[in-house]
Amino acid sequence: VRLIKAYLYYRKTGLKATVRRIIAELRALHTKSYGSSLCSSELVNVHDIHPVLGNISSRIAVHAHVHYPDLTKELASCLKNIPFAFDLFVSVSTDEPRDICSQAFSRLPQVNRVIVDVVENRGRDIAPMVCHFGARLATYDYICHLHTKKSVYTQGRMDGWREYLLRQLLGSEDQVRRIFSMFQRDPTAGIIYPQNYEYLPYWGNTWLSNRALGSQMCRQMGITDVPEGYFDYPAGSMFWARSKAIQNLFSDGIVPADFSPEAGQTDGT
């Protein structure tokens, strides 16, 4: 079966891409066998994890980038499932959503404070998290990153992607408690994110048009082992993270100008 899959993959993507995929798979197997869980990707069935009970003393921050204000209520509905106290940092691209977000999010049962800032429409949901709120987010123990993802360029082919990611990360109080149980039982767990959405094509796990920008930022952060070919990451850019695991994002001088100006791109942002 694996040979048939490899052949079909070769027919679809070509020899170079197939070789890169094989190398990436071998590296992943090596890492899983010999590397630490902090450096490897491990697929875990969250329903096999016992939810953490009671309250926790850790400081939690959520960053939400609300580019589409019509999805504010949907986001608020998910955030109400966080059973622990948290601070919410919201970035918006224009003045219009500021009051909408403030009103919707201030009613959340566990939120301590809500900060809504208008940011430059550049770097999509990542630049606001890293450049605008990064210094403040770095002071917390855990961070959740979300955004109002629509992927309008797919013309409906990826409908349901946002809902899937939000459901996996914040679908219920029990789901959130299970995620924090994973963090607590494994101190080396750095980032927890959903398995790829079922309609995401394989090549979504490559650099695509982001190689140049990604390599530049890796150099800024002192990362020399830049991945090639296929690699695991939170496709759709929503996740829970232990802040120590992503500290370099906040401390290595990444600025909005490092990101491409917004021009309606479908990739390379």
Side-chain angles (χ1 to χ4, degrees):
V1 175
R2 288 185 177 180
L3 286 174
I4 294 173
K5 287 183 177 179
Y7 175 72
L8 293 174
Y9 186 80
Y10 161 73
R11 290 290 302 272
K12 182 179 180 180
T13 63
L15 179 60
K16 286 186 178 180
T18 303
V19 171
R20 286 179 177 177
R21 179 63 185 271
I22 291 172
I23 292 172
E25 294 287 350
L26 289 173
R27 283 179 176 173
L29 285 172
H30 176 79
T31 303
K32 186 174 181 180
S33 299
Y34 302 106
S36 70
S37 59
L38 181 63
C39 300
S40 64
S41 298
E42 182 181 354
L43 196 60
V44 177
N45 186 343
V46 71
H47 297 293
D48 293 336
I49 307 297
H50 292 292
V52 66
L53 302 177
N55 209 344
I56 61 173
S57 58
S58 304
R59 299 184 69 237
I60 301 170
V62 175
H63 170 246
H65 182 62
V66 182
H67 183 68
Y68 298 106
D70 57 303
L71 295 175
T72 302
K73 288 184 179 180
E74 177 184 305
L75 210 56
S77 177
C78 295
L79 289 169
K80 70 177 175 55
N81 291 325
I82 299 178
F84 315 115
F86 68 96
D87 291 336
L88 177 59
F89 298 87
V90 183
S91 51
V92 294
S93 305
T94 62
D95 285 319
E96 177 190 355
R98 188 200 294 266
D99 291 339
I100 296 174
C101 290
S102 295
Q103 292 176 15
F105 296 141
S106 61
R107 303 189 190 105
L108 294 171
Q110 291 287 357
V111 72
N112 286 326
R113 57 177 181 150
V114 179
I115 298 94
V116 184
D117 287 352
V118 179
V119 300
E120 180 182 3
N121 186 19
R122 185 166 182 159
R124 302 291 168 95
D125 58 293
I126 299 299
M129 175 186 68
V130 173
C131 307
H132 187 78
F133 288 123
R136 280 175 277 184
L137 294 175
T139 65
Y140 290 80
D141 299 307
Y142 297 101
I143 300 166
C144 182
H145 172 68
L146 312 164
H147 61 110
T148 52
K149 185 174 186 62
K150 281 194 176 182
S151 300
V152 292
Y153 64 90
T154 66
Q155 299 178 335
R157 293 190 301 275
M158 295 298 288
D159 284 356
W161 191 5
R162 178 190 70 256
E163 294 90 337
Y164 166 76
L165 295 175
L166 291 173
R167 187 166 60 250
Q168 299 304 311
L169 295 170
L170 295 167
S172 67
E173 176 180 325
D174 186 71
Q175 185 84 346
V176 178
R177 288 185 176 276
R178 291 176 190 272
I179 289 172
F180 272 85
S181 183
M182 284 191 278
F183 278 127
Q184 291 192 353
R185 75 173 190 165
D186 184 0
T188 66
I191 303 178
I192 295 175
Y193 56 92
Q195 182 181 10
N196 277 359
Y197 185 50
E198 60 179 324
Y199 297 118
L200 184 72
Y202 282 119
W203 43 259
N205 277 89
T206 67
W207 283 110
L208 297 175
S209 300
N210 300 283
R211 177 180 292 276
L213 178 58
S215 297
Q216 171 191 323
M217 290 187 175
C218 283
R219 286 193 297 271
Q220 285 181 243
M221 292 184 285
I223 298 173
T224 56
D225 186 18
V226 180
E228 295 286 341
Y230 289 81
F231 53 92
D232 291 317
Y233 75 101
S237 65
M238 299 195 208
F239 55 84
W240 279 98
R242 194 186 304 274
S243 61
K244 289 181 179 179
I246 57 175
Q247 281 294 319
N248 284 3
L249 284 174
F250 305 138
S251 61
D252 283 324
I254 297 173
V255 297
D258 289 327
F259 296 84
S260 301
E262 180 60 44
Q265 305 98 310
T266 59
D267 191 27
T269 56

